[in-house]
């Protein structure tokens, strides 16, 4: 009963957010000179590793896992509660960053199905002098994916391809116990605007991923 009640509350929150024109997405958002990249990706896609590389390059960090999107004055803005922001890193990712070897001495987070260790916002700031933001204007969409290529590459994709990928990256809708047609329509319209207004790319991460971005 408790699981069902939690699922129902989560679904109700999804309906409320969608009706307000707000869409939750499993993605990272990083900013550079008042422009931001939306980087949707599931666990194991290379999203977190790429985000950490961008932080090292001086990008501002909004979120690495959970972001909310909303249309604001004909732009799509991303915002997040980054008070609880953290990177969850597997051992292979940690090995790419010598300065993070200390994480292997820490206990695993309660993360399923893969065990990972947490790099907190305080540690990000101390190690990389990371700067954080609470809201960013999206200017491009990048879909990362780990490949067997020797060298990484980034390839533009069509707005139709971007839309299909975005619809697969919503955090809540697939699990929702409540089907709300108005909310689903608003979600679809927001993703249509996002995919047609901004350029989108596939980032194929190769064996040279130490050099990404």
């Amino acid at each position: 009963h408790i699981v069902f009640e939690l699922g129902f509350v989560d679904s109700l929150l999804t309906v409320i957010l969608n009706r307000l024109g707000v869409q939750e997405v499993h993605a990272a958002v990083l900013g550079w000179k008042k422009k931001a990249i939306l980087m949707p990706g599931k666990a194991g896609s290379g999203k977190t590793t790429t985000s950490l590389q961008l932080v090292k390059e001086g990008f501002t960090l909004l979120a690495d896992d959970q972001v909310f999107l909303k249309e604001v004055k004909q732009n799509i803005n991303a915002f997040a509660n980054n008070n609880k922001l953290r990177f969850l890193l597997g051992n292979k990712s940690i090995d790419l960053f010598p300065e993070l070897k200390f994480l292997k001495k820490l206990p695993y987070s309660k993360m399923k199905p893969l065990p990972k260790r947490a790099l907190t916002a305080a540690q990000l700031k101390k190690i990389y002098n990371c700067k954080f933001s609470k809201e960013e204007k999206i200017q491009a969409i990048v879909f990362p994916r780990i490949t067997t290529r020797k060298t990484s590459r980034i390839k533009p994709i069509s707005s139709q391809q971007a839309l299909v990928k975005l619809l697969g990256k919503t955090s809540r809708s697939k699990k929702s116990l409540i089907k709300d047609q108005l909310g689903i329509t608003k979600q679809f319209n927001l993703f249509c605007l996002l995919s047609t207004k901004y350029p989108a790319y596939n980032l194929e991460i190769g064996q040279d991923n130490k050099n990404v971005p």
Side-chain angles (χ1 to χ4, degrees), residues 62-82:
L62 175 72
D64 177 59
D65 185 60
Q66 182 189 56
V67 297
F68 298 92
L69 303 176
K70 183 177 177 60
E71 182 180 357
V72 179
K73 296 180 180 178
Q74 298 182 334
N75 292 303
I76 302 295
N77 284 18
F79 54 97
N81 177 11
N82 52 22

Side-chain angles (χ1 to χ4, degrees), residues 42-44 88 108-116:
K42 62 182 181 180
L88 292 174
Y108 287 112
S109 67
K110 295 178 180 179
M111 182 75 180
K112 296 180 179 180
L114 298 175
K116 296 189 177 185

Side-chain angles (χ1 to χ4, degrees), residues 158-176:
S158 69
S159 58
Q160 291 88 350
Q161 290 173 310
L163 177 59
V164 171
K165 287 176 174 287
L166 284 168
L167 290 171
K169 299 297 186 294
T170 56
S171 295
R172 298 174 182 266
S173 298
K174 290 183 178 180
K175 301 178 182 179
S176 179

